[in-house]
Amino acid sequence: MVTLLLDRTQLEVVLSPLERAATFHRENVRIPRESISKVQLTDDAWTWLRGVPNPGTHIPGVLAAGTWKAAGSVDFVLIRRRRPSVVVDLDGDGEYRRLILTTRHGLALTQALRLEVSGEPADVEEIVATSPTPAGKGKRRPVIRPRPA
């Protein structure tokens, strides 16, 4: 699973050496923060896949990794099996229109994008864990009401 780093200016998808080989990328993927238009969580990232790998790796149901090209669209994809994933729609990025990533940190990414972050890149899990909880947004106990007889 990829590591997601976020700072004031960009989202960085940190790739392991194995992920670099599968995606045919020599460096991490860096996306300007202002180009992120929408973030969606999904349990089945395979339904979001469009086009063909160019260059990339595709083992149906097991791995989809690399640059995927479709008519008028270029996506960066790193999907492993049927695990929780995040779909990041981009508007104004020069290279990609969408990121589709298998990661268990999707919820943390959506929360971290709403927060003010430092200029130093930090893991989205750390950002959310160390951020103060907004006033009035703490956990509330459910109200238990008796049922009418």
Side-chain angles (χ1 to χ4, degrees):
M1 300 223 185
V2 297
T3 300
L4 302 172
L5 300 179
L6 184 68
D7 65 18
R8 279 190 204 125
T9 60
Q10 70 181 4
L11 169 67
E12 183 174 357
V13 180
V14 180
L15 302 172
S16 70
L18 185 59
E19 292 166 340
R20 288 176 198 270
T23 61
F24 295 92
H25 275 71
R26 291 185 180 146
E27 296 183 6
N28 295 335
V29 177
R30 291 176 182 86
I31 303 297
R33 191 170 174 173
E34 66 269 1
S35 69
I36 298 172
S37 61
K38 185 170 37 171
V39 179
Q40 301 174 70
L41 304 176
T42 182
D43 287 331
D44 188 7
W46 294 94
T47 60
W48 291 89
L49 201 57
R50 57 187 179 187
V52 294
N54 188 11
T57 304
H58 186 216
I59 304 170
V62 177
L63 177 69
T67 302
W68 287 67
K69 294 184 179 179
S73 176
V74 178
D75 301 340
F76 179 78
V77 175
L78 187 52
I79 303 171
R80 293 188 187 154
R81 303 207 184 267
R82 303 242 184 252
R83 295 186 178 151
S85 301
V86 64
V87 178
V88 181
D89 288 327
L90 306 171
D91 187 26
D93 182 61
E95 193 170 358
Y96 300 112
R97 302 264 305 160
R98 182 182 285 169
L99 304 177
I100 306 171
L101 308 168
T102 297
T103 180
R104 60 179 158 240
H105 306 303
L107 182 58
L109 174 62
T110 59
Q111 292 170 341
L113 285 170
R114 295 181 184 154
L115 300 172
E116 288 294 322
V117 296
S118 70
E120 294 296 316
D123 190 296
V124 293
E125 283 287 310
E126 292 174 17
I127 293 171
V128 172
T130 59
S131 71
T133 305
K137 299 273 183 167
K139 291 185 179 179
R140 296 182 183 180
R141 288 190 207 172
V143 176
I144 300 173
R145 296 187 177 118
R147 293 185 183 183

